[in-house]
Amino acid sequence: MPLTLYGSVARGSFRRYATYRAAILAGAFTNTVFGFILSYTYLALWHARPDLGGYDATGAVTYIWISQALIAPVCVWGGGFQDDFQDRVRNGDIAIDLYRPVDLQSWWLATDLGRAALQLVTRGVLPMVAGAAVFRLRLPHDGRVWAAFLVSVMLAVAVSFAFRYLVSLTGFWLMDSDGVRSLAGILGMFFSGKLLPITLFPGALGALARVLPWSAMVQIPCDVLLQQRTGGALATGLGFQAFWALVLLAAGRAVQGLATRRVVVQGG
Amino acid sequence: MALIEVDNVSRTFTVRSRKGRLRREKRQVNAVDGLTFQVAEGECVGYVGPNGAGKSTTVKMLTGILVPSGGRLRVAGVDPSRDRVRLAHRIGVVFGQRTTLWWDLPLRDSYEMARRIYRIPAGRFRANLDRCLELLDLGPLMDTPVRQLSLGQRMRGDIAAALLHDPQVLYLDEPTIGLDVVSRNRVRQFLREVNTERGTTVLLTTHDLTDIEQLCSRVMVIDHGRVVYDGGLEGLHAVGESERTLVVDLAEPCPPIAVEGARVVRVDGPRQWLAFPAARSAAPVVAAVAAGYPLVDLSVREPAIEDVISRMYAGEVAAPVRVG
Ligand SMILES: Nc1ncnc2c1ncn2[C@@H]1O[C@H](COP(=O)(O)OP(=O)(O)O)[C@@H](O)[C@H]1O
Ligand SMILES: [Mg+2]
């Protein structure tokens, strides 16, 4: 029963985001333009230093376009459900949400998965098609790799959601959680591998980036589609993502309990 | 056993305010203070009071989304804040300034969501929805995104959403605020139907006393977190020491009428206005006027309930409280 509830929440959210046509097109256009800029930059870089970070030039450009496709669905910068959620925390509607017999975290997770699905098929696909038309990309022909990629993207969205949920929950204690959110966005851009693959990070920084949850958001799904992760490495990659998703979701649940208590006992 | 039991309930909030650059001040606000009342199954009770009286706080505590600081609260035998989720299936809530509808999606989707949230069996859902759509005139709006609805349409949509799971109790916190006349009337008619036909217990918070006059046989007036009046609407006039007005038309202009039990408050040519206590009969006054003056026509005006309540708020009236 609850699954059909949250399933329909996700479908509703998918349809809701589908109504924002202009925003989708504008976003896809921006992602494409930056895809071009980054591609030429990477090509120059890889021309000077071939095989940087374990990618050849074609791999590096493909990495760019995959990560451009993921930026909106995975919300590396933050966003998605956060805008609605923070509004509700600010104006007190979140307290009102409590009288409905639903689980808040599951509800918001469902809306975010629905949003991510819509953005994957729009803001994910459009830049990818544009990139593939201009550059030589190394995309797999094997359906199983694409399937593994989709699983990895779903886990990436789950990790990202769980992290953003924690960030937004700070709004129950801080007058304004936007500062925390900006910081989280910058950390996300850097440690996810969105700016530069983590494999390029030197020594200890690289080792750190590989174990932090952000690498689950961009680096791992990119490597799955690039077939940099196959077999056992694929399994550990997906396991790593699932691990962080569960840890962060559990943390979010605990903090949500405190936040709810605060609202119910202290009155917000 | 009463459906809603509120026994000496209080609720304080700590309000922090900035004083100067660094200094902060903590202040306790008693939003609700020693509140006691009971509502029996099937009643329709008006809950009125000035802004900040504690009405919304009461409704929040009754729904379980706010814990009382003291006292005892029971709805359908359970403690709302402890059994919030279980109770949720038995209550319906409408907060006038908030919406539970999906902003960007057609109204239909919100109802579908309610069906799943409350696990309403398909047949019952269909029947309830059809009834709501007809009585609230929502049928033509089902495919309209909620954000395109007018305030009145949206409110009707919210009220329908709160009733699809056949709640035993319906709390409405200012459901008619800002509505156009047509929506207001629709809402009132609908609520009357819900209360009388379905037997749903209704607690209605409002600023509009016409709502109360048309819907509620009982009204509770709350001020500074306490019930200052609880009883029938007529009784409010009695305790409010309100006056009725007798308007008399005489054959020709006369000096101010002097009769026992009434005083002239206004003279305009042959027409005079006499005030007399609302609790007393008009007959002796009319008889006295007819006996001593060339009476042509007369009418009696009821006191405006607004005046009575606002005088109560102002503390002019020491209102005896009848509880129960
Ligand atoms: N969450 C809160 N934090 C601090 N003060 C509050 C809170 N909610 C209500 N109050 C205060 O409690 C009092 C009663 O508020 P409320 O119940 O909303 O009144 P009403 O609905 O009758 O206008 C007001 O003084 C209000 O400022
Ligand atoms: Mg209020």
Side-chain angles (χ1 to χ4, degrees):
Chain A
M1 278 290 205
L3 266 185
T4 64
L5 165 63
Y6 298 111
S8 64
V9 172
R11 281 196 300 279
S13 178
F14 182 95
R15 275 184 291 125
R16 173 196 158 182
Y17 279 87
T19 62
Y20 307 149
R21 299 222 179 91
I24 291 168
L25 289 178
F29 178 75
T30 312
N31 294 151
T32 306
V33 170
F34 275 94
F36 278 105
I37 295 170
L38 287 168
S39 294
Y40 288 117
T41 315
Y42 272 36
L43 281 174
L45 195 60
W46 260 263
H47 184 72
R49 300 271 308 275
D51 292 325
L52 199 58
Y55 303 101
D56 62 10
T58 306
V61 172
T62 309
Y63 186 99
I64 288 295
W65 289 99
I66 302 169
S67 67
Q68 285 303 103
L70 291 181
I71 194 164
V74 179
C75 280
V76 184
W77 266 121
F81 82 99
Q82 284 184 293
D83 302 320
D84 294 335
F85 185 87
Q86 285 170 211
D87 271 350
R88 293 185 88 77
V89 171
R90 255 192 294 263
N91 64 25
D93 279 0
I94 201 86
I96 307 299
D97 294 341
L98 292 176
Y99 80 78
R100 301 208 279 184
V102 295
D103 175 63
L104 272 190
Q105 191 188 37
S106 310
W107 177 281
W108 290 102
L109 174 60
T111 65
D112 209 51
L113 287 173
R115 173 205 57 79
L118 185 273
Q119 295 194 326
L120 188 68
V121 298
T122 53
R123 289 185 59 181
V125 169
L126 292 175
M128 187 66 101
V129 168
V134 176
F135 298 94
R136 198 157 67 81
L137 302 185
R138 185 178 302 128
L139 294 171
H141 299 290
D142 188 347
R144 280 170 302 175
V145 179
W146 282 100
F149 173 66
L150 284 183
V151 171
S152 183
V153 171
M154 209 178 88
L155 288 168
V157 175
V159 172
S160 161
F161 164 81
F163 178 67
R164 283 175 290 135
Y165 196 64
L166 277 168
V167 168
S168 289
L169 282 172
T170 61
F172 281 92
W173 289 272
L174 305 176
M175 287 291 270
D176 190 356
S177 52
D178 281 344
V180 183
R181 191 171 146 178
S182 307
L183 181 67
I186 293 165
L187 287 173
M189 284 305 267
F190 186 71
F191 282 113
S192 65
K194 175 68 205 72
L195 284 179
L196 217 55
I198 294 172
T199 45
L200 271 68
F201 290 10
L205 188 64
L208 179 67
R210 266 187 287 279
V211 297
L212 289 177
W214 290 287
S215 65
M217 298 183 196
V218 176
Q219 182 76 46
I220 292 179
C222 283
D223 283 347
V224 170
L225 197 62
L226 280 168
Q227 291 176 272
Q228 298 280 92
R229 278 184 181 274
T230 50
L234 174 63
T236 38
L238 297 180
F240 177 84
Q241 289 183 298
F243 167 79
W244 273 118
L246 290 177
V247 168
L248 293 174
L249 284 171
R253 187 152 283 269
V255 178
Q256 165 184 282
L258 295 178
T260 309
R261 241 190 89 75
R262 186 183 159 88
V263 168
V264 172
V265 176
Q266 290 183 23
Chain B
M1 192 190 68
L3 188 62
I4 301 174
E5 293 175 83
V6 177
D7 187 9
N8 201 22
V9 164
S10 61
R11 171 71 223 200
T12 52
F13 291 107
T14 309
V15 185
R16 290 177 191 79
S17 53
R18 277 233 170 103
K19 272 247 169 156
R21 286 187 63 185
L22 290 172
R23 238 160 21 98
R24 288 223 178 159
E25 202 184 52
K26 268 196 192 181
R27 205 164 42 86
Q28 298 284 326
V29 177
N30 296 326
V32 164
D33 191 8
L35 192 69
T36 300
F37 65 82
Q38 299 195 339
V39 177
E41 179 118 44
E43 272 194 281
C44 181
V45 181
Y47 198 52
V48 300
N51 276 327
K55 303 182 297 293
S56 298
T57 303
T58 309
V59 173
K60 284 180 188 165
M61 289 192 289
L62 290 173
T63 54
I65 58 180
L66 195 63
V67 182
S69 315
R72 186 170 173 279
L73 202 83
R74 290 289 179 277
V75 176
V78 304
D79 181 348
S81 59
R82 275 186 178 214
D83 280 315
R84 195 171 66 221
V85 176
R86 197 149 60 90
L87 193 62
H89 289 276
R90 304 174 66 173
I91 63 172
V93 193
V94 176
F95 288 98
Q97 277 112 323
R98 330 238 181 199
T99 185
T100 54
L101 305 173
W102 279 43
W103 201 241
D104 296 296
L105 293 179
L107 202 47
R108 181 184 300 285
D109 290 274
S110 293
Y111 297 146
E112 193 52 38
M113 201 59 67
R115 181 173 79 75
R116 291 180 193 271
I117 291 174
Y118 295 100
R119 299 175 201 169
I120 310 168
R124 202 146 65 86
F125 175 74
R126 198 62 258 165
N128 285 350
L129 185 60
D130 286 347
R131 200 177 102 256
C132 287
L133 295 186
E134 191 202 316
L135 292 172
L136 288 167
D137 197 17
L138 287 168
L141 302 173
M142 280 293 267
D143 294 306
T144 312
V146 171
R147 76 179 125 77
Q148 290 174 15
L149 299 179
S150 72
L151 182 61
Q153 293 170 334
R154 203 215 75 207
M155 182 52 57
R156 285 184 275 146
D158 259 306
I159 292 174
L163 283 165
L164 295 176
H165 61 292
D166 283 329
Q168 222 176 332
V169 198
L170 177 64
Y171 305 118
L172 300 133
D173 194 0
E174 309 206 358
T176 53
I177 201 162
L179 299 201
D180 54 283
V181 179
V182 176
S183 290
R184 226 173 247 252
N185 285 334
R186 278 271 175 196
V187 166
R188 284 181 194 140
Q189 271 171 23
F190 180 71
L191 293 178
R192 191 179 309 121
E193 206 261 2
V194 165
N195 177 241
T196 55
E197 304 297 314
R198 295 243 136 188
T200 308
T201 308
V202 177
L203 185 75
L204 170 69
T205 287
T206 181
H207 271 298
D208 185 344
L209 293 159
T210 317
D211 290 346
I212 310 260
E213 276 171 345
Q214 296 193 356
L215 288 171
C216 309
S217 50
R218 176 181 165 199
V219 55
M220 290 193 283
V221 181
I222 173 175
D223 192 19
H224 292 105
R226 284 174 173 277
V227 177
V228 295
Y229 176 81
D230 183 350
L233 206 51
E234 331 74 52
L236 200 56
H237 294 309
V239 303
E241 292 166 2
S242 61
E243 293 177 315
R244 285 195 282 173
T245 310
L246 181 70
V247 185
V248 297
D249 286 321
L250 305 173
E252 72 239 32
C254 292
I257 297 171
V259 294
E260 184 76 15
R263 62 193 163 83
V264 174
V265 289
R266 197 177 151 202
V267 178
D268 184 7
R271 178 173 280 194
Q272 302 198 13
W273 283 259
L274 286 90
F276 63 99
R280 279 217 230 124
S281 166
V285 181
V286 174
V289 173
Y293 298 87
L295 185 60
V296 177
D297 196 9
L298 63 84
S299 63
V300 177
R301 291 201 191 142
E302 293 301 317
I305 195 83
E306 284 91 341
D307 299 340
V308 179
I309 289 183
S310 63
R311 276 199 289 152
M312 225 176 226
Y313 295 160
E316 284 174 23
V317 178
V321 176
R322 195 202 77 194
V323 173

